Amino acid sequence: MEVQGNAAIQENQLVAVRKKPLPQKLKKIWLNYDLYLLLLPTLLYFLVFHYLPMYGVQIAFKNFNPVQGITNSPWIGFDQFERFFNSYQLSIVLKNTIGLAVFEMAMFPIPIIMALLLNQLMSQKFKKVVQTITYAPHFISVVVMVGMLYLFLSPRSGIINQLLVILGFEPIFFFGIPEWFKSLFVFSGVWQNMGWGMIIYLAALSGISPDLHEAAIMDGASKIKRILHIDIPGILPTVIIMLILSFGSLLNIGFEKVYLMQNSLNVSSSEIIQTHVYKTGLLGAQYGYAAAVGLFNSVINFILLIVINQSAKKAGQGSLW
């Protein structure tokens, strides 16, 4: 009886210990309630605009009828996915989407290189001028950016074609040639976002101890060697995190810019998953089919994110989780 009594007491003590941290956590939250209130709008934003809409993903597996609603529409399984995989547009859409994504990913090192070069400038005034010039295009809207491209590359009055004519070449209708679409899209994006992308890497470079550079200079190391052996290893964890995030949205190419640059002449190289979803889903009112294609795109991005994160984790270079 005594043994059973002692066991019961010990069990009650364990239960009390397990329950004890919860009030402490609540007390800690209450003491810092103002910080949690600041976090609340962000949590509500993701809840309302990112998590709650996931309820509608089920229309990818239904023959969705707006009159019947999501709940009452009949289930059809993977028919929408089979329709997409058997579509004649599948090869074109995937080829263009993957081609643009890989081309954009190839430009990933440019902000890193620019940040490393800018970090080596001795003149602070010149450094600020370069930063301002490179940051400014980021604040240009997509519509204005595409309008500028049309003006600069116009076959009649565009400054680029005027220079070509002066040099003795024939003017080029850039937006009418499918082969030019990817280059125009990617390089205009690099010009617009390069300066903004440099901010993170410049912040990482500022966290590197100046003592390392002073010691390297005392040992006779050149700027190139200091970049290779101090700066790059110092920002490598940040580079890895940014690379993982980039792979996580690899196939999420900007719809607005592609759609604005698209026309009947270059559609063979500009039709991507996002424009295909827009045309079939909103313009064609095929909501279930568009949801299936969008879900396929999201799943591929999720798989890429998991694979790249685990690869970086195994390599010991840092990871998101």
Side-chain angles (χ1 to χ4, degrees):
M1 295 293 292
E2 293 181 0
V3 174
Q4 293 179 352
N6 292 333
I9 293 173
Q10 290 178 355
E11 186 177 353
N12 292 332
Q13 290 176 347
L14 288 173
V15 171
V17 170
R18 288 173 184 172
K19 291 184 177 180
K20 193 174 181 180
L22 184 59
Q24 291 180 350
K25 291 180 180 179
L26 292 176
K27 185 178 180 180
K28 192 173 182 180
I29 293 174
W30 176 253
L31 292 175
N32 299 281
Y33 74 94
D34 49 348
L35 299 178
Y36 287 95
L37 285 177
L38 291 175
L39 185 63
L40 184 61
T42 303
L43 294 176
L44 290 176
Y45 166 78
F46 281 100
L47 179 65
V48 174
F49 294 103
H50 290 271
Y51 287 98
L52 290 180
M54 291 177 67
Y55 168 79
V57 171
Q58 60 183 300
I59 68 173
F61 306 94
K62 289 188 172 187
N63 186 15
F64 176 67
N65 188 333
V67 177
Q68 294 177 320
I70 296 177
T71 305
N72 297 323
S73 296
W75 291 92
I76 58 173
F78 292 92
D79 289 357
Q80 303 286 12
F81 295 91
E82 292 179 3
R83 177 186 167 192
F84 175 60
F85 295 144
N86 295 326
S87 171
Y88 74 94
Q89 290 184 310
L90 175 66
S91 59
I92 298 174
V93 169
L94 287 182
K95 178 184 175 182
N96 293 334
T97 304
I98 295 173
L100 272 177
V102 172
F103 199 172
E104 280 193 319
M105 187 57 63
M107 301 295 110
F108 178 80
I110 291 181
I112 303 172
I113 296 172
M114 289 297 297
L116 291 171
L117 295 176
L118 199 63
N119 189 57
Q120 295 297 322
L121 292 178
M122 300 300 295
S123 175
Q124 293 299 318
K125 289 185 179 180
F126 183 68
K127 185 176 180 179
K128 290 180 180 179
V129 171
V130 173
Q131 286 178 311
T132 303
I133 294 174
T134 54
Y135 292 169
H138 176 77
F139 301 98
I140 301 175
S141 69
V142 177
V143 177
V144 174
M145 170 61 67
V146 176
M148 291 170 62
L149 289 176
Y150 272 106
L151 289 175
F152 293 155
L153 302 176
S154 171
R156 294 184 177 180
S157 58
I159 186 172
I160 303 299
N161 277 305
Q162 288 183 358
L163 290 175
L164 291 176
V165 171
I166 292 174
L167 295 174
F169 298 97
E170 292 292 328
I172 301 173
F173 185 20
F174 291 96
F175 281 91
I177 303 175
E179 291 76 14
W180 276 102
F181 179 83
K182 290 182 176 64
S183 298
L184 294 176
F185 180 87
V186 172
F187 286 117
S188 62
V190 170
W191 175 71
Q192 185 175 17
N193 300 313
M194 175 181 61
W196 189 255
M198 288 163 48
I199 294 177
I200 296 175
Y201 302 114
L202 286 173
L205 286 168
S206 65
I208 297 175
S209 175
D211 296 338
L212 296 175
H213 285 280
E214 292 176 3
I217 292 172
M218 293 295 292
D219 290 337
S222 63
K223 286 187 177 181
I224 298 296
K225 289 184 177 180
R226 283 190 280 131
I227 290 175
L228 293 175
H229 299 288
I230 297 177
D231 290 340
I232 293 180
I235 66 172
L236 189 58
T238 303
V239 173
I240 295 298
I241 295 298
M242 297 303 297
L243 184 63
I244 293 173
L245 292 174
S246 298
F247 269 99
S249 58
L250 183 66
L251 300 183
N252 287 339
I253 301 169
F255 160 77
E256 297 89 350
K257 188 176 178 181
V258 173
Y259 190 70
L260 289 170
M261 293 178 64
Q262 188 179 87
N263 55 54
S264 58
L265 298 175
N266 62 21
V267 70
S268 60
S269 63
S270 62
E271 185 72 1
I272 60 174
I273 290 177
Q274 285 74 18
T275 57
H276 182 62
V277 168
Y278 171 74
K279 291 175 182 178
T280 56
L282 294 181
L283 300 184
Q286 302 175 44
Y287 305 110
Y289 174 76
V293 179
L295 181 59
F296 165 77
N297 183 55
S298 299
V299 169
I300 296 299
N301 282 325
F302 179 72
I303 293 173
L304 286 173
L305 178 63
I306 297 295
V307 171
I308 297 300
N309 184 78
Q310 292 301 316
S311 300
K313 191 175 183 179
K314 288 182 179 179
Q317 297 295 337
S319 60
L320 292 178
W321 64 87

